[in-house]
Amino acid sequence: MKKQRFLYSSDSDYKIVSGEVSFRETFHSVKGLAENADIIAEAEVISQKNNSNYERLDVYTVSELRLTKVYKGDVEIDDTVSVLETGGEFDEREVAKYFSGKSRKSGSESRNDDLGVIMQGIAGSIPMKQGNTYFVFLTEDDDDIYNIVGSVQGKIKINSENTLVSQVSPETIDQHGDLYFLPENYSGQNISELRNDVEQLIATSPN
């Protein structure tokens, strides 16, 4: 059972469809996230682009983040960074159209009843949403693109009251064990709790 203070908001108007993936490393502490992050910051999602591949039936999202507070990294407040996440809004009707064109060539037809937009994510975690603010742990990839540390583990939403909110449901957290320790331990808390923990780690870090 989660603590009563736990706050959850999916922030999606669509059905969430979860894909499974093997994680190279599961983090169990803020220290682990911090040590593996090139940037630790609070940031607002100012724009996004979904990139769907209908043949592979997958999608990834690139979000432009404006940094509002920086704890670690060679960046400054108001800098922007691009963050790539697996998942995003995916229109099943476009998939039907894509494969329908192929079916007509082969003489077969496909039905597209009950199809619509869905939200794809990894292990119950959907990409960040434009307009939201997050506490993020980022690692740099190629071509100035950043990823979330631990793929889905190093991010948590900050609401308008400076309270941390999980975008992963309590049921999903129960299902995936320690994968989502960050929302499990910090959801419902004031942002000051996570800020203090990160600032102490940075102050005592040998780097």
Side-chain angles (χ1 to χ4, degrees):
M1 292 291 293
K2 297 293 168 293
K3 300 180 180 67
Q4 292 240 333
R5 67 170 188 256
F6 187 90
L7 295 180
Y8 163 65
S9 173
S10 71
D11 277 340
S12 175
D13 298 325
Y14 306 113
K15 175 184 175 183
I16 298 174
V17 177
S18 295
E20 297 301 321
V21 67
S22 296
F23 292 88
R24 288 188 302 174
E25 185 173 5
T26 300
F27 296 95
H28 304 283
S29 68
V30 173
K31 181 179 179 181
L33 291 173
E35 288 176 344
N36 286 271
D38 296 309
I39 293 176
I40 304 174
E42 295 171 34
E44 177 189 6
V45 182
I46 57 176
S47 65
Q48 284 185 311
K49 183 178 180 181
N50 283 7
N51 299 272
S52 301
N53 186 307
Y54 298 125
E55 184 164 9
R56 291 203 315 259
L57 302 178
D58 65 15
V59 57
Y60 67 89
T61 300
V62 177
S63 299
E64 194 77 7
L65 272 59
R66 180 180 67 85
L67 306 181
T68 58
K69 187 175 177 65
V70 176
Y71 302 88
K72 177 183 178 181
D74 189 20
V75 287
E76 298 179 354
I77 291 175
D78 286 333
D79 282 354
T80 59
V81 295
S82 297
V83 179
L84 185 149
E85 297 180 90
T86 299
E89 292 182 11
F90 190 75
D91 195 334
E92 297 173 310
R93 294 163 298 192
E94 294 299 321
V95 176
K97 289 179 186 177
Y98 176 83
F99 284 104
S100 180
K102 290 193 168 188
S103 297
R104 282 195 290 271
K105 291 180 182 178
S106 63
S108 61
E109 292 291 335
S110 60
R111 294 176 60 87
N112 59 358
D113 298 340
D114 301 322
L115 298 181
V117 178
I118 60 174
M119 177 64 74
Q120 286 190 359
I122 293 179
S125 176
I126 63 174
M128 295 178 285
K129 183 177 180 180
Q130 185 171 337
N132 284 353
T133 301
Y134 295 85
F135 199 112
V136 291
F137 298 80
L138 305 175
T139 180
E140 189 171 10
D141 203 345
D142 297 330
D143 301 323
D144 295 324
I145 294 288
Y146 287 83
N147 302 122
I148 304 292
V149 174
S151 179
V152 298
Q153 298 172 63
K155 64 175 181 180
I156 188 167
K157 177 184 171 183
I158 308 167
N159 70 13
S160 60
E161 298 176 345
N162 276 332
T163 302
L164 299 172
V165 180
S166 174
Q167 291 189 284
V168 182
S169 71
E171 295 77 17
T172 299
I173 291 175
D174 284 337
Q175 179 183 355
H176 289 279
D178 293 334
L179 183 62
Y180 294 117
F181 91 91
L182 191 65
E184 181 175 25
N185 291 341
Y186 287 93
S187 174
Q189 292 191 17
N190 186 277
I191 184 64
S192 61
E193 299 292 334
L194 185 52
R195 283 175 176 169
N196 290 340
D197 289 346
V198 167
E199 287 170 347
Q200 288 179 19
L201 284 169
I202 297 301
T204 57
S205 172
N207 298 323

